[in-house]
Every structure is written in C-alpha cells, then in structure tokens.
C-alpha cells in the first residue's frame, strides 16, 4: 500500500456523534505513552499530522484520518493514563468501548504495546476485548529502536506469553520504530489485507 494523501477529517469527543460509516476503518489503540501519535505520523509519512507530546494523555478524542480517500485510520484515546481522574478515564473507556462495539465499518484494531516492557493489565484487557468482539488484533511492538537488537526475540516472546498468544497463531506482531520506520512496510502490507 502506498500512502498518497492523508488528512485529519474529524475529531469526536465523549458527547459527539460519530460520523456516518462511509469507508472502511482501522483503529489504533494503546496506552497513553506508547507512541501512538509518532507511529501514525511515521506510517502516514507526515511530521505533525497526529499531535505528539512529551507528556502522555494528549489524545482525549477519537480522531479520524482519511487516507488516500480509501479508508479511515482512527486514533483512539490512550488508556491507562495515571494522572487523569477516574471520571475522565471512565469517560474515555466508555467512548472507546462504544466505538469498538458499534462500528460495522471497523476492519481491524491495531494494538500498540511498548516492546521494552511486558504488556500491562490494561493491554491484556484491551487485547482480550478485541478478540472477544470478533475483530482481528494486529499487535505493534513500538519503540524498537530503544532496545538492543539481541533483546528483540526475548521481548517478543514476553509479549506473546503475557497476551496469551499461542505459538503458530495467525495474530500478526510487528516490531516497529517510528524513528527509523523499521516495520512500516510490513505493517502497511498487513493493513492492506484488511481493506
């Protein structure tokens, strides 16, 4: 898949009505500081399309990016942000749940986890929820450039074990670096299969 055009086409908060389903959608979910905005920018070959920040928890809306006039890349609010109030976190949770549970045009959910650590309880919960809703998760292990090459296999094994992904499963796991764009072609190829 070649990315020719991409633009922010809508921002939706807890009280907004989501847009009509006109194109296939691929959602991106992950913890607050997992590097979701950086990954989206690197995937779409844009510098500042998705807003990045040094302080986590910036995405508090559901953001729709129109890609090639062919599909929407949907950026969901980051979960597990400790500094957000419980009320705020509950609001985001409801918003994510409603989106994932009601969109018929949703083809896949890309779940981002930090390759440097074992997936959190929230990551495991999100993974299980995606599977239970009948969607296919694509796992992206972010921040690949932050570990030594020799650690990669060990970290990927930890990720599989923590999420409960059986050996030989058809769940795709893509190690990814937003800095070097390693994993970009592989991820685009996987996403094009869902479209």
């Amino acid at each position: 898949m070649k990315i020719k055009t991409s633009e922010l086409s809508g921002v939706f908060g807890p009280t907004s009505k989501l847009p009509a389903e006109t194109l296939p959608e691929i959602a991106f979910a992950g913890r607050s500081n997992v590097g979701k905005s950086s990954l989206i920018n690197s995937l779409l070959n844009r510098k500042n399309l998705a807003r990045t920040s040094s302080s986590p928890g910036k995405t508090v809306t559901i953001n729709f990016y129109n890609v090639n006039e062919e599909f929407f890349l949907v950026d969901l609010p980051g979960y597990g942000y400790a500094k957000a109030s419980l009320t705020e976190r509950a609001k985001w949770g409801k918003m994510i749940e409603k989106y994932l549970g009601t969109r018929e045009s949703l083809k896949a959910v890309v779940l981002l986890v930090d390759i440097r650590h074992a997936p959190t309880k929230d990551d495991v919960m999100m993974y299980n929820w995606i599977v239970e809703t009948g969607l296919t998760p694509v796992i992206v292990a972010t921040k690949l450039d932050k570990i030594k090459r020799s650690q990669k296999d060990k970290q990927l094994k930890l990720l599989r074990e923590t999420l409960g992904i059986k050996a030989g499963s058809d769940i795709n796991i893509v190690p990814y670096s937003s800095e070097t764009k390693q994993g970009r072609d592989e991820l685009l190829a996987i996403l094009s299969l869902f479209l």
Side-chain angles (χ1 to χ4, degrees), residues 21 25-29 76 96-111 126-139 170-172 194:
E21 300 185 50
E25 296 170 10
I26 293 178
F28 280 63
L76 299 173
I96 293 169
E97 218 169 284
K98 184 179 169 201
Y99 171 80
L100 292 176
T102 61
R103 299 298 278 186
E104 286 184 24
S105 49
L106 181 60
K107 301 301 175 201
V109 180
V110 178
L111 177 60
M126 180 59 89
Y127 173 79
N128 290 332
W129 203 83
I130 295 165
V131 172
E132 282 160 23
T133 55
L135 290 161
T136 306
V138 175
I139 311 298
D170 59 356
I171 302 285
N172 288 294
F194 290 102

Side-chain angles (χ1 to χ4, degrees), residues 32-86:
S32 280
N33 58 349
V34 76
K36 204 157 30 76
S37 298
S38 298
L39 181 134
I40 289 169
N41 286 333
S42 94
L43 195 64
L44 299 178
N45 253 338
R46 297 283 297 269
K47 277 227 174 355
N48 298 310
L49 186 62
R51 264 184 262 141
T52 58
S53 165
S54 55
S55 58
K58 279 289 176 222
T59 305
V60 294
T61 51
I62 296 177
N63 301 336
F64 280 70
Y65 298 95
N66 186 320
V67 182
N68 294 343
E69 301 287 328
E70 290 167 7
F71 72 97
F72 286 110
L73 187 158
V74 182
D75 183 9
L76 299 173
Y79 53 79
Y81 181 46
K83 284 193 180 142
S85 72
L86 286 175

